[in-house]
Amino acid sequence: MSSNITTYFCKECGYETPKWAGKCPVCDAWDSFKESTSVTGKKKSGGKLNVPLLHQLASEPIKTIEPQSNERLLTGNKEFDRVIGGGIINGMVCLIGGEPGIGKSTLMLQIADEIAQKGWKVLYISGEESRDQIKQRSDRVKTKSDSLFLFCSNSVEHIIDVISKDEPDLVVVDSIQSIGIDEQSGSPGSVSQVRESTILLTQLAKRQNIPMFIIGHVTKEGLVAGPKIIEHLVDTVLYFEGDNYNQLKILKTTKNRFGSTNEIGVFEMGADGLTEVLNPSRLFIRDEDLSAGSAIGCVIEGTRSFLIEVQALVTPAVYGNAQRIALGIDHKKLSLMLAIIEKKLSLKIRENDVFVNLVGGLKVSDPALDLAFIAAIISSYENQPLPPKTIFLGEIGLNGEIRPVSNIDKRIKEATKLGYERIVVPEKSKVTVAKNKIKRIDYLNKIYPILFS
Ligand code: TYD
Ligand code: MG
């Protein structure tokens, strides 16, 4: 006999509880619990475990276990390979999350084709789009391989059947919300269907030792049962982001059992698919002189450093409460910087609306951008552009001190490579390159002569 068990999942973090709650005790999200029903068999032994003593099972010393070969397959797409930790590993299950329309299907079709061109048999499974639609996309991105196969289905049972029969070397599932288990209640996309389908596919990938890429949508409001609830079931989680009005797309890792999570990959969407951006600095900065409210900083993401323009707009507040809007950085960081500017430089920031933005739709938490943001805010407040070919590197402390940042030499090298002549760095930073271009600052109250001399 079987019975229905109802549980509740937090759609933000995947926490499971038998009782509904208004607020998730793990991630503090409000109204995030979704009901999920699963069918289970009745316990036969009245709660007791019924374990037959086979005397055949045994543990083994860890020392004698032969290490598995972790040979990695390079897809040939440098941005993608770096983000997933240096290539694809057999048996790895990777989730690719992102908002609808960001370019997940395009990215994975292109990667699938690149891998197939290396002689691997690649199976692209689509539950979302028809054969014709996928064919149109493949014509658009000009896929070339003969060993790239397509199977369109919404049924996990059918998908597993085809994978078991065809024995592909790599599988892409597009998308997890569009497929479901025929026998189970709930439509595809429901919490239980998404979770159970992922479990079945993951088991299959491990059993057949094939890499599998699972695409999952997230909406801004997190309305659909999104990738959050399956993150813990997979080895690697990638997110594809960027705004829909911008051609630049960023691939990030938030979890990686086989590598680091710091790397980002930058892609540009064009008329015939995504192209790698190997030198992002050129896209995030402009050649012409900056207007008031713009400054250049440098961020480090993983092993790569690149320059980026930060922008600020400071205007008199029209309504009672001044607005503070931060795009690309944490809004708390913005409040903190404004409080320090107000206190240490006696500027009347509180009477102004302040907007800050990181160019290119990038979101970063690198504290080395603090000084560039502060320079941009002051430049907009004073309505005076900053000196040309100048870059700002430094973290701000609560007392207005400018603190050293990591990898300063690497950042300076990137700036000098692109022709920057004046590099403002924290007093205490140990710099060994381009010493003649360095301008040092210890406290925020000494910034005016540096900005407007
Ligand atoms: P898509 O990969 O379908 O996004 P997702 O799978 O994340 O929902 O592509 C999204 C957008 O990219 C779509 O609006 C069309 C655009 N696009 C291009 O600009 N150039 C191209 O070559 C392709 C294939 C798509
Ligand atoms: Mg898609």
Side-chain angles (χ1 to χ4, degrees), residues 282 285-291 294 296 309 311 385-390 420:
R282 292 192 191 282
I285 56 173
R286 290 179 282 166
D287 274 343
E288 72 254 41
D289 285 348
L290 299 175
S291 39
S294 284
I296 306 291
E309 180 181 336
Q311 297 180 329
L386 296 172
K389 292 285 163 205
T390 306
Y420 281 75

Side-chain angles (χ1 to χ4, degrees), residues 179-367:
I179 59 170
I181 304 167
D182 297 342
E183 282 179 3
Q184 205 173 18
S185 60
S187 54
S190 66
V191 175
S192 58
Q193 286 278 16
V194 165
R195 212 171 71 115
E196 300 301 322
S197 307
T198 311
I199 291 172
L200 289 177
L201 290 171
T202 307
Q203 283 169 350
L204 181 72
K206 302 285 171 196
R207 203 166 53 237
Q208 296 206 2
N209 200 26
I210 46 172
M212 186 179 284
F213 290 87
I214 300 175
I215 294 175
H217 297 292
V218 277
T219 61
K220 277 206 175 100
E221 301 78 31
L223 281 179
V224 191
K228 289 275 178 219
I229 57 163
I230 48 175
E231 277 183 355
H232 62 285
L233 301 173
V234 299
D235 301 310
T236 302
V237 179
L238 306 181
Y239 274 97
F240 207 32
E241 352 177 293
D243 52 53
N244 281 349
Y245 314 103
N246 194 322
Q247 302 308 314
L248 282 183
K249 314 281 170 188
I250 314 285
L251 188 66
K252 276 190 172 169
T253 335
T254 56
K255 166 180 171 179
N256 196 350
R257 283 193 186 138
F258 306 111
S260 93
T261 54
N262 312 325
E263 299 287 352
I264 66 161
V266 186
F267 296 88
E268 196 172 10
M269 181 69 92
D272 48 4
L274 291 154
T275 43
E276 304 164 64
V277 177
L278 298 174
N279 185 359
S281 287
R282 292 192 191 282
L283 284 168
F284 294 127
I285 56 173
R286 290 179 282 166
D287 274 343
E288 72 254 41
D289 285 348
L290 299 175
S291 39
S294 284
I296 306 291
C298 180
V299 287
I300 294 209
E301 294 278 350
T303 49
R304 208 161 44 161
S305 60
F306 50 88
L307 305 194
I308 188 158
E309 180 181 336
V310 305
Q311 297 180 329
L313 179 65
V314 182
T315 51
V318 183
Y319 306 107
N321 271 347
Q323 293 189 72
R324 272 87 183 86
I325 308 247
L327 299 173
I329 56 160
D330 185 12
H331 73 276
K332 287 187 197 133
K333 182 65 167 229
L334 173 63
S335 306
L336 191 110
M337 290 191 293
L338 295 178
I340 298 169
I341 293 174
E342 177 135 8
K343 177 105 180 159
K344 299 294 167 188
L345 298 174
S346 307
L347 303 188
K348 292 205 170 53
I349 297 285
R350 84 185 66 158
E351 294 162 10
N352 290 277
D353 290 337
V354 181
F355 308 88
V356 295
N357 177 34
L358 206 52
V359 170
L362 205 67
K363 295 184 188 76
V364 300
S365 51
D366 188 343

Side-chain angles (χ1 to χ4, degrees), residues 17 31 108 122 139 141 160 195 233 250 267 269 398 402:
T17 164
D31 194 22
M108 285 324 296
V122 180
D139 287 345
V141 303
I160 290 177
R195 212 171 71 115
L233 301 173
I250 314 285
F267 296 88
M269 181 69 92
L398 289 187
I402 311 295

Side-chain angles (χ1 to χ4, degrees), residues 98-107 110 124 128-129 136-137 140-141 174 215 217 240 247 249 269-274:
E99 287 169 25
I102 201 77
K104 301 178 295 299
S105 305
T106 309
L107 175 73
Q110 286 184 248
Y124 192 99
E128 204 160 275
E129 289 167 305
Q136 275 169 17
R137 181 178 292 120
R140 207 169 163 188
V141 303
D174 186 5
I215 294 175
H217 297 292
F240 207 32
Q247 302 308 314
K249 314 281 170 188
M269 181 69 92
D272 48 4
L274 291 154

Side-chain angles (χ1 to χ4, degrees), residues 423-437:
I423 300 160
V424 184
V425 305
E427 179 74 42
K428 293 206 174 106
S429 281
K430 288 195 183 68
V431 176
T432 59
V433 290
K435 286 186 179 162
N436 56 338
K437 299 192 167 116

Side-chain angles (χ1 to χ4, degrees), residues 89-131:
I89 294 179
N90 270 333
M92 84 186 284
V93 179
C94 178
L95 170 73
I96 298 168
E99 287 169 25
I102 201 77
K104 301 178 295 299
S105 305
T106 309
L107 175 73
M108 285 324 296
L109 189 66
Q110 286 184 248
I111 297 291
D113 181 53
E114 286 189 62
I115 298 168
Q117 284 182 43
K118 294 187 181 272
W120 280 35
K121 182 173 179 183
V122 180
L123 177 58
Y124 192 99
I125 293 164
S126 178
E128 204 160 275
E129 289 167 305
S130 66
R131 290 166 67 227

